[in-house]
Amino acid sequence: MKIYRVGGAVRDRLLGRPSSDVDHVVVGATPEDMLREGFRPVGKDFPVFLHPQSNEEYALARTERKTAPGYHGFAFNADPSVTLEDDLARRDLTINAMAEDAEGRLVDPYGGKRDLEARQLRHVSPAFAEDPVRVLRVARFLARFAAHGFAIAEETMTLMRGMVEAGEVDHLVPERVWAETRKALGEATPSAFIGALRACGALRVLFPEIDALYGVPQRAEYHPEIDTGVHNEMVLDMAARLAPGDDLIGFCAMTHDLGKALTPAHELPRHVMHEERGVAPLRALAERLRVPNEHAELAVLCCRLHLLAHRAFELRAETLLGLVEKLDAFRKPQRVEQFITVCEADKRGRLGLSESDYPQGAYLRAAFAAACEVRAAAFVADGLQGPAIAEAMRKERIAALARLKDAWARSPDTANPPST
């Protein structure tokens, strides 16, 4: 029995990056050997075990053979005769097909270290084309490493295009698409995920609502980047900058402008009511991919209400309170900050505006704080009951927000909000 550290842990060590992705391959062993050593079996489709002390994963070296379309259609062989090189050959990218032995010696039969140095995401073998999940995985790795100068090797992109044309990605189940997308939205450059899928043709298959944004013009005075698809990519990356690793914010950013793809041609480049038009495609996307309710609900709110945030200084006190109520912020106060973050990403995700201020954010935080200061206890003490308490609280909150609006307008430090 020989044990090797493999995959992400080896890759990240060579890159000088921290890694929590520690996996091992065991060569020359049977499941019975692992059980005798105290390992606990967890694999359903092939032999994977947890270490009795560390709980890290140890998988028997294996090969795989394509038996049917999609990513479930594989037969696995984990015979003790399978070599480390055989196991590494079935992996997706050369940078993930390296191993280290117990003494830390590198085993690199497919040039992963060379591709790390060249900043290339390159497939290990033609067997890459047998698993459509790998299209998503390569796009996700690009989202992680694009900021470090990585690119997808041309021959790998060609292979990905062929997989799309062959209909392989059509067999991906929603849960797997969402799992990879969610991870990509938590990476440093999520726009690279979208860009890679678009380059190989998978975006129009898996995310037609997002693919439809490209080529749709916006008013240049407000959106110097003009193309709505480009704007969407910029908003995604700004969201990742403002809320690193937060896939909830990322999903809301990715879907906030879907309605612009539905603007009638005679109205372009204006997008009147795009925030309402965007709700239906957003819900369709979320339902198709079985997106968690928390993500879908907040995304719909951001889609519908983001223009109100941009116009916050213009809103009447009653409308401002209505915005807070629509967010259900008194029950879910975290939504205020989440909503503001998405709206700031939208405002700053425009050509030449990435370093601009978003004073509306501070104003909306102050408005929510002022509304929260109005509590029921005072009205109960006055003898009010039932619906009368709620009515009195709402009137007082509107009055509090009116006072805030007046005070904010008199402040010499308040910047005028930009047009949207």
Side-chain angles (χ1 to χ4, degrees), residues 134-178:
R134 289 175 170 175
V135 172
L136 291 165
R137 279 177 55 82
V138 172
R140 172 166 64 83
F141 276 115
L142 188 63
R144 180 180 301 179
F145 293 124
H148 302 282
F150 278 76
I152 300 173
E154 185 53 45
E155 59 266 37
T156 301
M157 179 57 73
T158 299
L159 200 57
M160 291 165 62
R161 291 192 187 104
M163 293 167 70
V164 174
E165 291 168 3
E168 277 288 328
V169 298
D170 299 345
H171 297 285
L172 288 169
V173 298
E175 292 85 355
R176 198 61 191 268
V177 176
W178 171 244

Side-chain angles (χ1 to χ4, degrees), residues 8-22:
V10 180
R11 176 199 68 224
D12 290 341
R13 184 187 67 76
L14 292 173
L15 286 172
R17 292 167 53 95
S19 179
S20 59
D21 182 16
V22 181

